[in-house]
Amino acid sequence: NAGVTQTPKFQVLKTGQSMTLQCAQDMNHEYMSWYRQDPGMGLRLIHYSVGAGITDQGEVPNGYNVSRSTTEDFPLRLLSAAPSQTSVYFCASSLGQGVYNEQFFGPGTRLTVL
Amino acid sequence: AQSVTQLDSHVSVSEGTPVLLRCNYSSSYSPSLFWYVQHPNKGLQLLLKYTSAATLVKGINGFEAEFKKSETSFHLTKPSAHMSDAAEYFCVVRVTGATNKLIFGTGTLLAVQP
């Protein structure tokens, strides 16, 4: 198993550009989520999905869209990038929502918006 | 609302000496608590978790944490630090309910001196 994979690893955007951060998992996990990590702030939840076709907002959803058309993939879209979205983005997945279901994290995407 | 507070942003120890990383939590319910580790430029890895079973939880790489309800604490310890322990550590609480949402602390950067 590859686990949770994210592409790209690094990205530089100009203000106003759009892009999609890709996340895929091959563990047949139902629950997937996106976090952003900023210095001194830990990780904050952007959006999450409890299964294909179902998504919901997390703590900091503004400026981001998600969709979940398959169990494996959970892309994060930035429609009009802003410098405040400069961050490291992590995707995570778990088998289910129960407390015993460990979340597995991808390696991250480092995004810079100029 | 649930939250975690990591009391130290940086901790420096000498190799072979004990490690103590402090975390206090706030929760109206019996919490599910975790410690994650992030090595430089890597994703996050689960060290250990508390889910209302034994109050002393053993994790990977010799780490353990003790849940103390009276002190609302979940400190992470290791008897003897190794150079490979140098990383950032996050205390995390799971949001109560049918959800796998996690709330992260701001992180503690552990430096290990030779």
Side-chain angles (χ1 to χ4, degrees):
Chain A
N1 286 350
V4 180
T5 58
Q6 292 183 237
T7 56
K9 290 187 177 180
F10 302 93
Q11 183 71 50
V12 179
L13 292 177
K14 294 181 180 179
T15 296
Q17 287 185 313
S18 63
M19 81 159 295
T20 299
L21 308 185
Q22 301 291 345
C23 174
Q25 51 86 15
D26 60 358
M27 298 174 282
N28 202 31
H29 284 176
E30 289 295 324
Y31 186 94
M32 297 185 73
S33 54
W34 277 101
Y35 294 85
R36 59 177 289 173
Q37 182 180 26
D38 302 293
M41 301 188 74
L43 277 74
R44 292 178 293 169
L45 182 65
I46 304 172
H47 284 285
Y48 67 99
S49 168
V50 300
I54 307 170
T55 64
D56 205 347
Q57 296 181 349
E59 186 183 356
V60 287
N62 292 340
Y64 307 96
N65 282 349
V66 292
S67 60
R68 184 97 179 268
S69 56
T70 67
T71 298
E72 294 78 18
D73 301 299
F74 190 44
L76 179 72
R77 297 183 184 85
L78 285 71
L79 297 179
S80 179
S84 61
Q85 294 179 304
T86 293
S87 187
V88 182
Y89 291 85
F90 288 99
C91 179
S93 74
S94 65
L95 187 61
Q97 296 190 76
V99 66
Y100 297 103
N101 290 290
E102 176 184 348
Q103 288 204 36
F104 294 86
F105 285 81
T109 294
R110 188 174 295 273
L111 175 67
T112 301
V113 182
L114 303 176
Chain B
Q2 290 156 295
S3 65
V4 288
T5 302
Q6 293 184 244
L7 301 172
D8 306 291
S9 59
H10 293 81
V11 170
S12 182
V13 301
S14 298
E15 190 174 20
T17 64
V19 175
L20 170 63
L21 305 183
R22 299 182 295 166
C23 173
N24 286 352
Y25 70 89
S26 173
S27 177
S28 301
Y29 305 94
S30 181
S32 296
L33 295 161
F34 308 80
W35 277 98
Y36 278 83
V37 61
Q38 184 181 28
H39 287 92
N41 300 313
K42 300 287 187 183
L44 287 89
Q45 181 183 19
L46 180 66
L47 270 181
L48 51 80
K49 61 184 177 185
Y50 167 76
T51 55
S52 74
T55 56
L56 182 62
V57 182
K58 294 189 182 299
I60 61 173
N61 300 334
F63 284 94
E64 61 182 36
E66 186 171 8
F67 174 75
K68 292 187 176 180
K69 185 175 180 178
S70 60
E71 299 177 8
T72 62
S73 69
F74 189 58
H75 301 336
L76 182 70
T77 60
K78 183 174 181 178
S80 176
H82 191 273
M83 295 296 291
S84 61
D85 295 327
E88 189 158 23
Y89 293 80
F90 293 95
C91 182
V92 181
V93 64
R94 177 177 172 269
V95 175
T96 302
T99 174
N100 218 358
K101 295 181 186 179
L102 301 179
I103 297 175
F104 283 74
T106 53
T108 298
L109 191 61
L110 175 66
V112 181
Q113 309 299 330

